[in-house]
Amino acid sequence: MQHALALARKGAGLATESHVGCVIVREGQILGEGFHQYEWRDHAEIVALKSAGDKARGATLYVTLEPCNHTGRTGPCTEAIIAAGVQRVVAAMDDPNPVNSGRGFERLRAAGIEVFTGVCEEEARHLNEPFTCWIRTKRPFVTLKSALTLDGQLALPKRAKKSGKRANRDWISSEESRAEVHPHAPRLGRVADGIGTILADDPLLTDRSGSRGANPPSRHSRFEAAPFSQHLVS
């Protein structure tokens, strides 16, 4: 399951919905694996099943999210798993989408497949927080990025600013702390900022993670709701 979670994380910036990883195993050997990428359209389970081919029969499938049992942009993964002859399915978490929640597991069990759930569940739920937030509340998942002093201050006194701009030596943050933010950019749908920071610092609000994600966060100078995730830069 840890390997499936690692695969799921590769979908950051490539999948605009849930991040899902899947591994097919028999006798300790990986036969197929995959993760959800929007461009490929296939869900992680389908990618893994195609990779394993006929070897999937009698194998165990590890997946980070309950397989879908309905037709959307793709057909139900449950039917593909059944048709492939998979013997056992181990899942990290149930699908938060009420259209599918519990139904995927029920369909697999009805077909005689052993189903085990809750393996590494906390890690899977953390990975899919933005997706779960959007599905359940129809509100974006907001990440607040801020530099703070030990006593909880967001900025230095005005007298520390030079000509309306902060001199590098006056920043609360550092080159190292600012670099820590960039790897999170591929998971975000929007990057927004307040007008005060825009005027004072003229931030770039760009993705400098080096990721080749297909959906880099778009730049906004005001709050605008976006599906799944949003990042506010203070």
Side-chain angles (χ1 to χ4, degrees):
M1 187 61 77
Q2 287 292 341
H3 185 52
L5 285 164
L7 288 169
R9 293 185 188 100
K10 290 185 177 182
L14 299 176
T16 57
E17 298 178 350
S18 54
H19 296 147
V20 184
C22 181
V23 184
I24 298 173
V25 178
R26 186 194 298 124
E27 298 178 354
Q29 298 295 315
I30 293 178
L31 307 174
E33 61 183 43
F35 61 95
H36 186 190
Q37 295 186 55
Y38 180 77
E39 289 79 8
W40 293 7
R41 299 184 73 84
D42 283 344
H43 287 182
E45 300 94 316
I46 305 303
V47 177
L49 287 170
K50 287 181 177 179
S51 175
D54 293 339
K55 295 178 182 179
R57 187 163 299 279
T60 297
L61 182 147
Y62 292 86
V63 65
T64 60
L65 182 69
E66 178 180 1
C68 63
N69 190 49
H70 63 282
T71 300
R73 283 193 298 266
T74 66
C77 290
T78 52
E79 297 305 320
I81 292 170
I82 293 166
V86 169
Q87 180 179 346
R88 182 183 297 105
V89 170
V90 181
M93 62 177 284
D94 59 309
D95 192 339
N97 189 342
V99 173
N100 187 60
S101 185
R103 292 181 173 86
F105 295 146
E106 288 175 6
R107 177 68 184 103
L108 294 173
R109 289 188 175 110
I113 296 175
E114 294 180 86
V115 177
F116 299 90
T117 65
V119 179
C120 299
E121 182 176 0
E122 185 175 350
E123 292 177 65
R125 291 196 183 282
H126 177 70
L127 181 63
N128 280 304
E129 269 188 300
F131 171 67
T132 300
C133 178
W134 176 255
I135 286 294
R136 290 181 174 172
T137 70
K138 299 304 178 185
R139 295 180 179 178
F141 182 77
V142 178
T143 301
L144 173 63
K145 169 260 187 182
S146 177
L148 290 172
T149 62
L150 288 175
D151 59 352
Q153 301 301 309
L154 288 166
L156 293 171
K158 290 183 179 180
R159 63 177 179 275
K161 297 182 180 181
K162 314 294 183 183
S163 303
K165 301 273 185 177
R166 291 180 194 162
N168 287 344
R169 64 178 181 275
D170 293 326
W171 286 4
I172 292 174
S173 59
S174 64
E175 290 290 343
E176 292 79 8
S177 66
R178 290 192 289 277
E180 284 293 319
V181 176
H182 298 312
H184 299 282
R187 292 187 64 185
L188 306 171
R190 301 285 188 273
V191 179
D193 211 335
I195 190 60
T197 302
I198 294 289
L199 295 176
D201 295 337
D202 191 23
L204 295 174
L205 302 184
T206 55
D207 178 1
R208 281 156 280 167
S209 65
S211 169
R212 297 169 61 187
N215 299 294
S218 57
R219 184 174 187 249
H220 291 272
S221 58
R222 62 183 176 82
F223 185 92
E224 180 175 326
F228 309 127
S229 62
Q230 182 155 321
H231 192 182
L232 297 184
V233 182
S234 70

